[in-house]
Amino acid sequence: MSMANLADLKIGEKGEIVGFTDELLSLKLLEMGCLPGTEVILTHLAPFGDPIAIRVSGSYTLSMRREEAETMLIKRT
C-alpha cells in the first residue's frame, strides 16, 4: 500500500482517505461524506482529466474537480 492523492488513481483503483492538504476545502469534502477511513473508488474520468467521479463507501457517486481531488490524501488498497 502506498500513499498518494485521489487524483493519482486510475479508473477502477481503490483507496482509503487518510487526510487533506487544504483545510478550507476539507470542510466541504467532509460534509460530502469524504471522511478519513472511508473507501473510495475512481469510477469515471472526463476526456481531458477533469472532472472525475468517485464511488464513496460503495453507496454514492461524487463528482469533483481534479484540483479538489489533489487535496485528498489516500492510502491505496
Side-chain angles (χ1 to χ4, degrees), residues 35-76:
L35 306 169
T38 302
E39 182 182 81
V40 294
I41 302 169
L42 183 64
T43 59
H44 296 86
L45 186 61
F48 293 105
D50 195 20
I52 66 169
I54 58 171
R55 190 90 178 141
V56 181
S57 296
S59 60
Y60 66 96
T61 301
L62 177 64
S63 295
M64 65 178 64
R65 296 249 174 240
R66 179 170 285 280
E67 180 180 305
E68 296 168 328
E70 289 171 349
T71 69
M72 191 181 305
L73 302 175
I74 59 157
K75 175 174 59 174
R76 285 188 167 121

Side-chain angles (χ1 to χ4, degrees), residues 14-39:
K14 297 178 183 180
E16 180 183 316
I17 300 170
V18 294
F20 304 94
T21 60
D22 183 317
E23 188 176 333
L24 290 176
L25 186 55
S26 70
L27 274 172
K28 175 182 169 185
L29 295 169
L30 289 166
E31 289 172 349
M32 292 190 289
C34 296
L35 306 169
T38 302
E39 182 182 81

